[in-house]
Amino acid sequence: MAERLLSVAQVAERLGTTERFPRRLVAERRVTFVKVGRHVRIPESALAAFIEANTVQPLRQRRNRYGRAA
């Protein structure tokens, strides 16, 4: 079965942004996309990879030398 291709509007909805943001990602070549005629489609796996690559993990709280939280 072929992978699902998302429109710019669908990507914007999943990211919780306006359509301008996914269009900028495409223009800057920061996300994989497919051109179907004049339409731009983004594979679901490419969107998942973009989200994974840009997810920032929280820092562990370090203790300083004297046992108090830093």
Side-chain angles (χ1 to χ4, degrees):
M1 187 169 171
E3 182 176 12
R4 185 160 180 232
L5 298 175
L6 305 172
S7 68
V8 171
Q10 291 170 320
V11 171
E13 184 178 330
R14 288 194 183 188
L15 293 175
T17 64
T18 64
E19 289 186 25
R20 185 176 180 177
F21 181 67
R23 288 189 189 283
R24 193 173 81 216
L25 294 176
V26 167
E28 295 174 357
R29 305 290 199 262
R30 292 173 51 197
V31 67
T32 302
F33 64 95
V34 177
K35 293 271 302 198
V36 182
R38 64 186 185 119
H39 301 283
V40 173
R41 298 292 183 253
I42 300 171
E44 280 185 311
S45 63
L47 180 60
F50 174 80
I51 292 169
E52 182 66 30
N54 289 288
T55 300
V56 179
Q57 299 298 325
L59 294 175
R60 287 185 31 212
Q61 194 174 37
R62 291 184 11 196
R63 293 213 168 269
N64 67 13
R65 218 176 355 188
Y66 301 107
R68 293 183 297 228

